[in-house]
PDB file of all heavy atoms in Angstrom:
ATOM      1  N   VAL A1461     -35.639-174.673  -4.713  1.00 55.00           N
ATOM      2  CA  VAL A1461     -34.742-175.465  -5.548  1.00 55.00           C
ATOM      3  C   VAL A1461     -35.118-175.271  -7.007  1.00 55.00           C
ATOM      4  O   VAL A1461     -36.282-175.387  -7.375  1.00 55.00           O
ATOM      5  CB  VAL A1461     -34.830-176.954  -5.193  1.00 55.00           C
ATOM      6  CG1 VAL A1461     -33.882-177.758  -6.072  1.00 55.00           C
ATOM      7  CG2 VAL A1461     -34.494-177.172  -3.732  1.00 55.00           C
ATOM      8  N   GLN A1462     -34.145-174.977  -7.834  1.00 67.00           N
ATOM      9  CA  GLN A1462     -34.380-174.826  -9.258  1.00 67.00           C
ATOM     10  C   GLN A1462     -33.371-175.681 -10.020  1.00 67.00           C
ATOM     11  O   GLN A1462     -32.176-175.604  -9.756  1.00 67.00           O
ATOM     12  CB  GLN A1462     -34.238-173.370  -9.688  1.00 67.00           C
ATOM     13  CG  GLN A1462     -35.285-172.452  -9.086  1.00 67.00           C
ATOM     14  CD  GLN A1462     -35.027-171.000  -9.416  1.00 67.00           C
ATOM     15  OE1 GLN A1462     -33.915-170.528  -9.348  1.00 67.00           O
ATOM     16  NE2 GLN A1462     -36.071-170.296  -9.792  1.00 67.00           N
ATOM     17  N   LYS A1463     -33.853-176.495 -10.922  1.00 78.00           N
ATOM     18  CA  LYS A1463     -32.986-177.311 -11.753  1.00 78.00           C
ATOM     19  C   LYS A1463     -33.430-177.174 -13.198  1.00 78.00           C
ATOM     20  O   LYS A1463     -34.632-177.190 -13.480  1.00 78.00           O
ATOM     21  CB  LYS A1463     -33.005-178.777 -11.318  1.00 78.00           C
ATOM     22  CG  LYS A1463     -32.359-179.037  -9.961  1.00 78.00           C
ATOM     23  CD  LYS A1463     -32.351-180.507  -9.640  1.00 78.00           C
ATOM     24  CE  LYS A1463     -31.766-180.786  -8.257  1.00 78.00           C
ATOM     25  NZ  LYS A1463     -30.324-180.502  -8.207  1.00 78.00           N
ATOM     26  N   GLU A1464     -32.488-177.033 -14.085  1.00 83.00           N
ATOM     27  CA  GLU A1464     -32.818-176.932 -15.498  1.00 83.00           C
ATOM     28  C   GLU A1464     -31.708-177.555 -16.331  1.00 83.00           C
ATOM     29  O   GLU A1464     -30.550-177.599 -15.915  1.00 83.00           O
ATOM     30  CB  GLU A1464     -33.041-175.478 -15.910  1.00 83.00           C
ATOM     31  CG  GLU A1464     -31.882-174.566 -15.588  1.00 83.00           C
ATOM     32  CD  GLU A1464     -32.225-173.106 -15.841  1.00 83.00           C
ATOM     33  OE1 GLU A1464     -33.378-172.803 -16.182  1.00 83.00           O
ATOM     34  OE2 GLU A1464     -31.321-172.262 -15.692  1.00 83.00           O
ATOM     35  N   ILE A1465     -32.084-178.069 -17.500  1.00 87.00           N
ATOM     36  CA  ILE A1465     -31.120-178.673 -18.412  1.00 87.00           C
ATOM     37  C   ILE A1465     -30.569-177.577 -19.319  1.00 87.00           C
ATOM     38  O   ILE A1465     -31.322-176.839 -19.947  1.00 87.00           O
ATOM     39  CB  ILE A1465     -31.771-179.780 -19.250  1.00 87.00           C
ATOM     40  CG1 ILE A1465     -32.341-180.880 -18.348  1.00 87.00           C
ATOM     41  CG2 ILE A1465     -30.754-180.386 -20.213  1.00 87.00           C
ATOM     42  CD1 ILE A1465     -33.109-181.942 -19.096  1.00 87.00           C
ATOM     43  N   CYS A1466     -29.237-177.485 -19.368  1.00 88.00           N
ATOM     44  CA  CYS A1466     -28.569-176.517 -20.236  1.00 88.00           C
ATOM     45  C   CYS A1466     -27.829-177.277 -21.334  1.00 88.00           C
ATOM     46  O   CYS A1466     -27.380-178.406 -21.129  1.00 88.00           O
ATOM     47  CB  CYS A1466     -27.584-175.671 -19.431  1.00 88.00           C
ATOM     48  SG  CYS A1466     -28.345-174.731 -18.097  1.00 88.00           S
ATOM     49  N   TYR A1467     -27.664-176.640 -22.493  1.00 93.00           N
ATOM     50  CA  TYR A1467     -27.056-177.291 -23.647  1.00 93.00           C
ATOM     51  C   TYR A1467     -25.805-176.530 -24.085  1.00 93.00           C
ATOM     52  O   TYR A1467     -25.763-175.298 -24.037  1.00 93.00           O
ATOM     53  CB  TYR A1467     -28.052-177.374 -24.800  1.00 93.00           C
ATOM     54  CG  TYR A1467     -29.311-178.147 -24.436  1.00 93.00           C
ATOM     55  CD1 TYR A1467     -30.463-177.474 -24.030  1.00 93.00           C
ATOM     56  CD2 TYR A1467     -29.331-179.534 -24.491  1.00 93.00           C
ATOM     57  CE1 TYR A1467     -31.603-178.178 -23.683  1.00 93.00           C
ATOM     58  CE2 TYR A1467     -30.477-180.241 -24.153  1.00 93.00           C
ATOM     59  CZ  TYR A1467     -31.606-179.556 -23.742  1.00 93.00           C
ATOM     60  OH  TYR A1467     -32.736-180.256 -23.396  1.00 93.00           O
ATOM     61  N   PHE A1468     -24.796-177.294 -24.534  1.00 94.00           N
ATOM     62  CA  PHE A1468     -23.522-176.716 -24.936  1.00 94.00           C
ATOM     63  C   PHE A1468     -23.001-177.425 -26.179  1.00 94.00           C
ATOM     64  O   PHE A1468     -23.264-178.618 -26.388  1.00 94.00           O
ATOM     65  CB  PHE A1468     -22.476-176.856 -23.819  1.00 94.00           C
ATOM     66  CG  PHE A1468     -22.896-176.258 -22.515  1.00 94.00           C
ATOM     67  CD1 PHE A1468     -23.638-176.994 -21.603  1.00 94.00           C
ATOM     68  CD2 PHE A1468     -22.550-174.960 -22.191  1.00 94.00           C
ATOM     69  CE1 PHE A1468     -24.042-176.448 -20.397  1.00 94.00           C
ATOM     70  CE2 PHE A1468     -22.948-174.398 -20.986  1.00 94.00           C
ATOM     71  CZ  PHE A1468     -23.690-175.135 -20.090  1.00 94.00           C
ATOM     72  N   THR A1469     -22.242-176.691 -26.991  1.00 96.00           N
ATOM     73  CA  THR A1469     -21.524-177.332 -28.084  1.00 96.00           C
ATOM     74  C   THR A1469     -20.330-178.073 -27.508  1.00 96.00           C
ATOM     75  O   THR A1469     -19.982-177.924 -26.332  1.00 96.00           O
ATOM     76  CB  THR A1469     -21.032-176.290 -29.105  1.00 96.00           C
ATOM     77  OG1 THR A1469     -19.984-175.503 -28.492  1.00 96.00           O
ATOM     78  CG2 THR A1469     -22.165-175.371 -29.550  1.00 96.00           C
ATOM     79  N   GLN A1470     -19.677-178.872 -28.323  1.00 96.00           N
ATOM     80  CA  GLN A1470     -18.500-179.600 -27.863  1.00 96.00           C
ATOM     81  C   GLN A1470     -17.294-178.694 -27.656  1.00 96.00           C
ATOM     82  O   GLN A1470     -16.238-179.147 -27.205  1.00 96.00           O
ATOM     83  CB  GLN A1470     -18.170-180.738 -28.818  1.00 96.00           C
ATOM     84  CG  GLN A1470     -19.244-181.822 -28.837  1.00 96.00           C
ATOM     85  CD  GLN A1470     -18.887-183.012 -29.701  1.00 96.00           C
ATOM     86  OE1 GLN A1470     -17.716-183.289 -29.978  1.00 96.00           O
ATOM     87  NE2 GLN A1470     -19.907-183.763 -30.142  1.00 96.00           N
ATOM     88  N   GLU A1471     -17.448-177.409 -27.969  1.00 96.00           N
ATOM     89  CA  GLU A1471     -16.397-176.435 -27.694  1.00 96.00           C
ATOM     90  C   GLU A1471     -16.774-175.526 -26.520  1.00 96.00           C
ATOM     91  O   GLU A1471     -16.161-174.486 -26.288  1.00 96.00           O
ATOM     92  CB  GLU A1471     -16.093-175.600 -28.932  1.00 96.00           C
ATOM     93  CG  GLU A1471     -15.556-176.414 -30.088  1.00 96.00           C
ATOM     94  CD  GLU A1471     -14.330-177.237 -29.722  1.00 96.00           C
ATOM     95  OE1 GLU A1471     -13.463-176.717 -28.971  1.00 96.00           O
ATOM     96  OE2 GLU A1471     -14.245-178.402 -30.165  1.00 96.00           O
ATOM     97  N   GLY A1472     -17.825-175.918 -25.780  1.00 93.00           N
ATOM     98  CA  GLY A1472     -18.163-175.219 -24.556  1.00 93.00           C
ATOM     99  C   GLY A1472     -19.011-173.980 -24.712  1.00 93.00           C
ATOM    100  O   GLY A1472     -19.112-173.182 -23.771  1.00 93.00           O
ATOM    101  N   GLN A1473     -19.650-173.820 -25.866  1.00 94.00           N
ATOM    102  CA  GLN A1473     -20.489-172.646 -26.076  1.00 94.00           C
ATOM    103  C   GLN A1473     -21.949-172.969 -25.730  1.00 94.00           C
ATOM    104  O   GLN A1473     -22.497-173.946 -26.246  1.00 94.00           O
ATOM    105  CB  GLN A1473     -20.396-172.179 -27.530  1.00 94.00           C
ATOM    106  CG  GLN A1473     -19.006-171.740 -27.948  1.00 94.00           C
ATOM    107  CD  GLN A1473     -18.518-170.557 -27.131  1.00 94.00           C
ATOM    108  OE1 GLN A1473     -19.243-169.598 -26.901  1.00 94.00           O
ATOM    109  NE2 GLN A1473     -17.267-170.621 -26.684  1.00 94.00           N
ATOM    110  N   PRO A1474     -22.584-172.169 -24.852  1.00 92.00           N
ATOM    111  CA  PRO A1474     -24.000-172.402 -24.555  1.00 92.00           C
ATOM    112  C   PRO A1474     -24.836-172.266 -25.823  1.00 92.00           C
ATOM    113  O   PRO A1474     -24.555-171.420 -26.682  1.00 92.00           O
ATOM    114  CB  PRO A1474     -24.339-171.291 -23.555  1.00 92.00           C
ATOM    115  CG  PRO A1474     -23.032-170.841 -23.010  1.00 92.00           C
ATOM    116  CD  PRO A1474     -22.030-171.023 -24.107  1.00 92.00           C
ATOM    117  N   THR A1475     -25.851-173.081 -25.951  1.00 92.00           N
ATOM    118  CA  THR A1475     -26.706-173.020 -27.120  1.00 92.00           C
ATOM    119  C   THR A1475     -28.119-173.404 -26.731  1.00 92.00           C
ATOM    120  O   THR A1475     -28.336-174.169 -25.780  1.00 92.00           O
ATOM    121  CB  THR A1475     -26.191-173.955 -28.244  1.00 92.00           C
ATOM    122  OG1 THR A1475     -26.995-173.800 -29.400  1.00 92.00           O
ATOM    123  CG2 THR A1475     -26.198-175.404 -27.800  1.00 92.00           C
ATOM    124  N   GLY A1476     -29.090-172.885 -27.422  1.00 85.00           N
ATOM    125  CA  GLY A1476     -30.476-173.207 -27.123  1.00 85.00           C
ATOM    126  C   GLY A1476     -30.964-172.553 -25.839  1.00 85.00           C
ATOM    127  O   GLY A1476     -30.276-171.738 -25.228  1.00 85.00           O
ATOM    128  N   THR A1477     -32.150-172.923 -25.425  1.00 81.00           N
ATOM    129  CA  THR A1477     -32.792-172.377 -24.227  1.00 81.00           C
ATOM    130  C   THR A1477     -32.830-173.430 -23.128  1.00 81.00           C
ATOM    131  O   THR A1477     -33.280-174.560 -23.377  1.00 81.00           O
ATOM    132  CB  THR A1477     -34.231-171.927 -24.549  1.00 81.00           C
ATOM    133  OG1 THR A1477     -34.192-170.965 -25.601  1.00 81.00           O
ATOM    134  CG2 THR A1477     -34.893-171.317 -23.316  1.00 81.00           C
ATOM    135  N   PRO A1478     -32.351-173.098 -21.902  1.00 81.00           N
ATOM    136  CA  PRO A1478     -32.435-174.065 -20.799  1.00 81.00           C
ATOM    137  C   PRO A1478     -33.870-174.516 -20.562  1.00 81.00           C
ATOM    138  O   PRO A1478     -34.814-173.745 -20.732  1.00 81.00           O
ATOM    139  CB  PRO A1478     -31.895-173.273 -19.601  1.00 81.00           C
ATOM    140  CG  PRO A1478     -31.024-172.219 -20.209  1.00 81.00           C
ATOM    141  CD  PRO A1478     -31.697-171.851 -21.502  1.00 81.00           C
ATOM    142  N   VAL A1479     -34.046-175.774 -20.173  1.00 79.00           N
ATOM    143  CA  VAL A1479     -35.362-176.358 -19.942  1.00 79.00           C
ATOM    144  C   VAL A1479     -35.534-176.629 -18.457  1.00 79.00           C
ATOM    145  O   VAL A1479     -34.742-177.357 -17.849  1.00 79.00           O
ATOM    146  CB  VAL A1479     -35.522-177.674 -20.734  1.00 79.00           C
ATOM    147  CG1 VAL A1479     -36.888-178.303 -20.448  1.00 79.00           C
ATOM    148  CG2 VAL A1479     -35.333-177.428 -22.222  1.00 79.00           C
ATOM    149  N   ASP A1480     -36.568-176.038 -17.839  1.00 74.00           N
ATOM    150  CA  ASP A1480     -36.844-176.268 -16.430  1.00 74.00           C
ATOM    151  C   ASP A1480     -37.194-177.733 -16.184  1.00 74.00           C
ATOM    152  O   ASP A1480     -37.927-178.352 -16.956  1.00 74.00           O
ATOM    153  CB  ASP A1480     -38.009-175.398 -15.944  1.00 74.00           C
ATOM    154  CG  ASP A1480     -37.618-173.930 -15.830  1.00 74.00           C
ATOM    155  OD1 ASP A1480     -36.411-173.658 -15.686  1.00 74.00           O
ATOM    156  OD2 ASP A1480     -38.518-173.080 -15.877  1.00 74.00           O
ATOM    157  N   ILE A1481     -36.669-178.281 -15.092  1.00 65.00           N
ATOM    158  CA  ILE A1481     -37.009-179.644 -14.691  1.00 65.00           C
ATOM    159  C   ILE A1481     -38.071-179.601 -13.602  1.00 65.00           C
ATOM    160  O   ILE A1481     -39.132-180.165 -13.713  1.00 65.00           O
ATOM    161  CB  ILE A1481     -35.770-180.411 -14.198  1.00 65.00           C
ATOM    162  CG1 ILE A1481     -34.722-180.463 -15.306  1.00 65.00           C
ATOM    163  CG2 ILE A1481     -36.153-181.814 -13.743  1.00 65.00           C
ATOM    164  CD1 ILE A1481     -33.437-181.117 -14.885  1.00 65.00           C
ATOM    165  N   PHE A1482     -37.760-178.938 -12.484  1.00 53.00           N
ATOM    166  CA  PHE A1482     -38.755-178.756 -11.435  1.00 53.00           C
ATOM    167  C   PHE A1482     -38.336-177.588 -10.559  1.00 53.00           C
ATOM    168  O   PHE A1482     -37.200-177.166 -10.549  1.00 53.00           O
ATOM    169  CB  PHE A1482     -38.946-180.021 -10.590  1.00 53.00           C
ATOM    170  CG  PHE A1482     -37.720-180.444  -9.835  1.00 53.00           C
ATOM    171  CD1 PHE A1482     -37.425-179.903  -8.595  1.00 53.00           C
ATOM    172  CD2 PHE A1482     -36.862-181.403 -10.361  1.00 53.00           C
ATOM    173  CE1 PHE A1482     -36.306-180.305  -7.893  1.00 53.00           C
ATOM    174  CE2 PHE A1482     -35.730-181.803  -9.660  1.00 53.00           C
ATOM    175  CZ  PHE A1482     -35.452-181.257  -8.425  1.00 53.00           C
ATOM    176  N   GLU A1483     -39.303-177.089  -9.812  1.00 50.00           N
ATOM    177  CA  GLU A1483     -39.054-175.966  -8.925  1.00 50.00           C
ATOM    178  C   GLU A1483     -39.954-176.097  -7.691  1.00 50.00           C
ATOM    179  O   GLU A1483     -40.927-175.365  -7.518  1.00 50.00           O
ATOM    180  CB  GLU A1483     -39.334-174.640  -9.628  1.00 50.00           C
ATOM    181  CG  GLU A1483     -38.935-173.418  -8.814  1.00 50.00           C
ATOM    182  CD  GLU A1483     -39.127-172.142  -9.604  1.00 50.00           C
ATOM    183  OE1 GLU A1483     -39.110-172.198 -10.842  1.00 50.00           O
ATOM    184  OE2 GLU A1483     -39.307-171.084  -8.975  1.00 50.00           O
ATOM    185  N   PRO A1484     -39.684-177.089  -6.816  1.00 47.00           N
ATOM    186  CA  PRO A1484     -40.548-177.286  -5.651  1.00 47.00           C
ATOM    187  C   PRO A1484     -40.405-176.147  -4.647  1.00 47.00           C
ATOM    188  O   PRO A1484     -39.345-175.556  -4.512  1.00 47.00           O
ATOM    189  CB  PRO A1484     -40.039-178.605  -5.063  1.00 47.00           C
ATOM    190  CG  PRO A1484     -38.611-178.665  -5.481  1.00 47.00           C
ATOM    191  CD  PRO A1484     -38.562-178.016  -6.837  1.00 47.00           C
ATOM    192  N   ASP A1485     -41.472-175.853  -3.953  1.00 48.00           N
ATOM    193  CA  ASP A1485     -41.463-174.819  -2.924  1.00 48.00           C
ATOM    194  C   ASP A1485     -41.118-175.463  -1.594  1.00 48.00           C
ATOM    195  O   ASP A1485     -41.857-176.307  -1.096  1.00 48.00           O
ATOM    196  CB  ASP A1485     -42.833-174.151  -2.843  1.00 48.00           C
ATOM    197  CG  ASP A1485     -42.846-173.018  -1.816  1.00 48.00           C
ATOM    198  OD1 ASP A1485     -41.774-172.739  -1.232  1.00 48.00           O
ATOM    199  OD2 ASP A1485     -43.916-172.428  -1.606  1.00 48.00           O
ATOM    200  N   ILE A1486     -39.977-175.105  -1.016  1.00 43.00           N
ATOM    201  CA  ILE A1486     -39.566-175.690   0.262  1.00 43.00           C
ATOM    202  C   ILE A1486     -39.587-174.639   1.361  1.00 43.00           C
ATOM    203  O   ILE A1486     -39.014-174.826   2.414  1.00 43.00           O
ATOM    204  CB  ILE A1486     -38.159-176.305   0.170  1.00 43.00           C
ATOM    205  CG1 ILE A1486     -37.134-175.233  -0.190  1.00 43.00           C
ATOM    206  CG2 ILE A1486     -38.134-177.447  -0.815  1.00 43.00           C
ATOM    207  CD1 ILE A1486     -35.698-175.707  -0.060  1.00 43.00           C
ATOM    208  N   SER A1487     -40.274-173.529   1.131  1.00 48.00           N
ATOM    209  CA  SER A1487     -40.239-172.422   2.080  1.00 48.00           C
ATOM    210  C   SER A1487     -40.799-172.801   3.446  1.00 48.00           C
ATOM    211  O   SER A1487     -40.436-172.209   4.450  1.00 48.00           O
ATOM    212  CB  SER A1487     -40.998-171.229   1.531  1.00 48.00           C
ATOM    213  OG  SER A1487     -42.348-171.581   1.255  1.00 48.00           O
ATOM    214  N   SER A1488     -41.683-173.804   3.499  1.00 44.00           N
ATOM    215  CA  SER A1488     -42.276-174.186   4.789  1.00 44.00           C
ATOM    216  C   SER A1488     -41.766-175.504   5.299  1.00 44.00           C
ATOM    217  O   SER A1488     -42.276-176.041   6.282  1.00 44.00           O
ATOM    218  CB  SER A1488     -43.802-174.251   4.641  1.00 44.00           C
ATOM    219  OG  SER A1488     -44.159-175.241   3.682  1.00 44.00           O
ATOM    220  N   SER A1489     -40.740-176.077   4.645  1.00 42.00           N
ATOM    221  CA  SER A1489     -40.272-177.412   5.032  1.00 42.00           C
ATOM    222  C   SER A1489     -39.253-177.378   6.138  1.00 42.00           C
ATOM    223  O   SER A1489     -38.946-178.418   6.730  1.00 42.00           O
ATOM    224  CB  SER A1489     -39.662-178.116   3.817  1.00 42.00           C
ATOM    225  OG  SER A1489     -38.449-177.486   3.438  1.00 42.00           O
ATOM    226  N   GLY A1490     -38.690-176.211   6.408  1.00 41.00           N
ATOM    227  CA  GLY A1490     -37.653-176.143   7.428  1.00 41.00           C
ATOM    228  C   GLY A1490     -36.281-176.480   6.892  1.00 41.00           C
ATOM    229  O   GLY A1490     -35.292-176.457   7.624  1.00 41.00           O
TER     230      GLY A1490
END
């Protein structure tokens, strides 16, 4: 699972660098 915060202008243009929130390893969880 990967989640990150992305930023946009009010006209829908991506801006800045996405910030990772978390990336848990679920490979052994089933």
